[in-house]
Structures are given as C-alpha cells and as structure tokens.
Amino acid sequence: MSSSNELRHNWTKEELSTIYNKPLMELVYEAATVHRAWHKADEVQISTLLSVKTGGCPEDCAYCGQAARYHTGINVQALLPTETVIAYAQKAKNSGSSRFCMAAAWREVRDNRDFDRIIDMVREVNKLGLEVCCTLGMLSESQAQRLEEAGLYAYNHNLDTSEDYYDEIISTRKFDQRINTINNVRKAGITVCSGGIIGLGETHEDRISMLRTLANMEQHPDSVPINALARVKGTPLENNPKIDSWEMVRMIATARIVMPASMVRLSAGRIEMTESEQAWCFMAGANSIFTGERETLLVTPNPGVSEDMQMLSTLGLKPMPIARSAND
Ligand code: SF4
C-alpha cells in the first residue's frame, strides 16, 4: 500500500496505529520496501549541528539542558563570532557533511543585532555550497522571509511530542505556536525540518498522534528527526528510563511509511546505541544522521564524525552528496 507514488495527508488514527503496532519484522520489511521505492537506500545524509548560542534559554522544556532554570552545569555561551561559525562549516563540509545546522537557545527570534549576525552566518555558509539550516525558536513570517532571502535552506522546529502531552513537557509556549512557526517557514519557501522526541514519558498513542500531525500536514516536513531522550542531569526528566532501541526502530519505520519522501533523521540518543542498533534504524528507513561539533549534539554526547564514517563504510552506506534532500 505505501510504496505507491502518492503522498497521503489524510491518515486516520486507526491506520497509523495499525502500522505502528505491526509485528516488528513486518513493520521493518514494509518500511524498507517504501524506503527503496523513494530513496537511494545506500545513501545517508550527514548533517552537522553546531550550537551557535548555548544555554540560558528562558523556556522550560523538561528535557533540555539549555533551559536556564535547570542546574545542568553546561557552559553558557553567547552568540559565536561569524568567522568561527564559518570555520566550523568549512570543516564540516571537508568531513563529508552536506547540511550545516546552526542552533541558538532562544525562545524566539528577535529583530536585533544578533539576528542580523545570524543572517550574515546564513549568507556565508550558503556560499560554501552547504544546505544551511537553523533552529532559533519561534519565528515570524517576516523573519522567515529574511532568512530565506539570505539563503536559508531549512528551518528546524520540532513538535517534540503529541498535542495532548505537550503541556506536560513545556508550559512556556503552546503547541499551536509550534505549528504557527512551521507555517511561517513554509510560507517563506524554506524547507521544514520537524519531528519529535520519545522517552519523555508519553504513551504509544502520543507517539502515534505526533506522527499523525506531521503526516497530515498539507506538505510533509522535508526532514523528520526522530530523537530518543538524551537524559541530562539536572533536568526534570533526568531519571526517565532509557528508550529501548526497538522503540526507535518502530518510530522510524512508521515515519518512513507515512512520510515516504521525507528524510527521516536518526537524531539524539545515537550515543547510547550500538552500531547494530543503528543499522536497524537505517534498515527501517532512517537516511540521515547528525554529527555534532566537538562530538556533541548541542549539549549531549554524540558519536564523532570519523566513527560515523567508519560505521557507514561497515554497513555499505555512503554519505549523500549535497543538495539531494529536497522532497515532497
Ligand atoms: S529546547 Fe530550545 S526552547 Fe526549549 S529550553 Fe531548550 S533551547 Fe530553549
């Protein structure tokens, strides 16, 4: 059913639940089939994520080590100089990355000098021929337009979790505000990167509901990051149980089936997975990974670039060339 050439945007809760709850081997087989129909299954996009402004965030996302209100001991860092960011981007390109994502721990973008500097960074990284991505918090339509004019290729804004569970995780903004920012990004003609996190204490129904929200968007997100909670000491969720890798495989496979053209990103939580577990995620349809500068994914550990390249080689996979990921 799902390897047809049609993208669907009207998934029912029952349909999604039936896919999500399939016996795992069946689910992975179906997802792998869809993956092969829509993508080059031997290619994995390497995206590098750099925190350009770290910590001190006024929001209260219960999973996040960068929220100022939690005592996580991270090094708070003001916006990096543009030259430093460009040097990191060049290094990422030299190491095989085709996408460079700049993250700032802000609640929202403000029209100030820091945003002017982000615009400069986007312009300069774009000149390197990389897909430039930002994640800067909430964004207005006019700010999205400025980013697009500077050459921004993608904007990341995750749903995080289901609409029903959202208030349990974040109280300082609403689910609708997430959707609003995603709509502003779309209107500006920037590709959308939006997914979520599992391991926050949500139910399977919440996971299904989150995937359904993404899959029923008028246009599927071009990239769908699936994260496992990275348990950060000092955050309210530090003692949550570790997510079993099979749960990641199940999420990835379901996302692959219902959003066949999208890039599905195996994101945070990889450090706690073996190579074999990651291989299952690739088989289930993940075709992108994040590598982080200084071997961190924002403020949590992540495998290093060379380790990742070795893993891809072992699995017979190769880095995706630049500018191959626009879908939908
Ligand atoms: S996830 Fe983003 S918005 Fe939430 S506290 Fe962390 S940096 Fe702030």
Side-chain angles (χ1 to χ4, degrees):
M1 58 112 178
S2 307
S3 53
S4 77
N5 289 327
E6 291 204 4
L7 294 176
R8 283 187 53 192
H9 305 267
N10 59 351
W11 295 96
T12 65
K13 199 168 141 191
E14 291 68 32
E15 283 175 317
L16 241 148
S17 178
T18 302
I19 296 171
Y20 179 91
N21 287 306
K22 278 189 184 209
L24 196 66
M25 291 297 118
E26 282 304 308
L27 177 62
V28 171
Y29 180 77
E30 183 174 333
T33 307
V34 172
H35 190 195
R36 275 148 187 75
W38 288 82
H39 299 270
K40 289 192 172 179
D42 62 343
E43 288 185 354
V44 173
Q45 185 182 43
I46 311 291
S47 306
T48 295
L49 179 56
L50 176 70
S51 180
V52 296
K53 184 265 171 185
T54 307
C57 181
E59 299 285 86
D60 70 349
C61 309
Y63 53 82
C64 181
Q66 302 201 64
R69 67 193 70 202
Y70 309 137
H71 301 289
T72 58
I74 62 154
N75 290 326
V76 175
Q77 187 173 45
L79 193 61
L80 292 174
T82 305
E83 313 77 70
T84 307
V85 173
I86 305 312
Y88 276 125
Q90 183 65 61
K91 191 172 150 216
K93 184 179 178 184
N94 296 346
S95 309
S97 279
S98 54
R99 180 180 285 218
F100 188 70
C101 185
M102 298 180 278
W106 287 330
R107 168 182 164 76
E108 65 210 315
V109 172
R110 294 181 189 278
D111 294 307
N112 57 16
R113 287 187 54 203
D114 277 353
F115 186 42
D116 294 342
R117 288 177 54 204
I118 293 278
I119 293 289
D120 286 342
M121 290 174 195
V122 169
R123 201 172 283 125
E124 293 304 315
V125 175
N126 191 37
K127 282 185 197 159
L128 296 178
L130 289 162
E131 292 179 6
V132 197
C133 176
C134 281
T135 180
L136 312 169
M138 291 186 284
L139 200 62
S140 71
E141 220 176 310
S142 62
Q143 290 163 341
Q145 196 57 50
R146 268 192 81 191
L147 285 164
E148 195 278 333
E149 283 159 15
L152 191 74
Y153 182 86
Y155 195 83
N156 165 265
H157 205 60
N158 289 330
L159 295 184
D160 291 342
T161 189
S162 72
E163 183 168 7
D164 284 348
Y165 195 60
Y166 194 80
D167 292 348
E168 301 292 322
I169 299 300
I170 300 140
S171 74
T172 48
R173 56 165 190 258
K174 296 286 164 208
F175 191 79
D176 282 354
Q177 292 177 291
R178 307 297 281 169
I179 300 286
N180 195 36
T181 290
I182 292 170
N183 289 340
N184 289 340
V185 169
R186 272 281 176 232
K187 276 185 229 156
I190 299 167
T191 65
V192 169
C193 173
S194 186
I197 309 169
I198 62 169
L200 304 176
E202 75 287 340
T203 61
H204 291 290
E205 285 68 35
D206 287 313
R207 295 178 191 173
I208 291 165
S209 164
M210 182 188 78
L211 288 175
R212 184 165 172 246
T213 303
L214 295 166
N216 283 352
M217 285 179 175
E218 210 172 302
Q219 202 174 345
H220 294 161
D222 307 81
S223 335
V224 181
I226 303 291
N227 298 276
L229 172 69
R231 297 164 297 168
V232 179
K233 201 163 167 25
T235 62
L237 303 185
E238 67 172 307
N239 295 318
N240 274 23
K242 177 181 179 295
I243 276 292
D244 190 285
S245 299
W246 297 121
E247 299 189 59
M248 282 294 277
V249 171
R250 190 172 288 285
M251 277 300 279
I252 287 168
T254 308
R256 168 52 66 226
I257 291 167
V258 298
M259 293 173 277
S262 304
M263 302 293 292
V264 176
R265 295 182 197 278
L266 169 57
S267 301
R270 269 202 314 127
I271 190 76
E272 297 197 63
M273 287 184 170
T274 63
E275 276 193 10
S276 317
E277 289 167 334
Q278 293 181 58
W280 272 97
C281 293
F282 295 129
M283 184 56 86
N287 58 351
S288 175
I289 53 174
F290 278 114
T291 61
E293 270 308 330
R294 291 173 240 144
E295 303 192 357
T296 65
L297 191 57
L298 297 182
V299 294
T300 57
N302 199 53
V305 177
S306 53
E307 217 177 296
D308 285 335
M309 290 301 178
Q310 182 57 51
M311 173 182 69
L312 293 187
S313 160
T314 303
L315 299 177
L317 300 170
K318 58 187 184 209
M320 183 177 289
I322 291 176
R324 288 247 8 258
S325 64
N327 290 304
D328 220 1

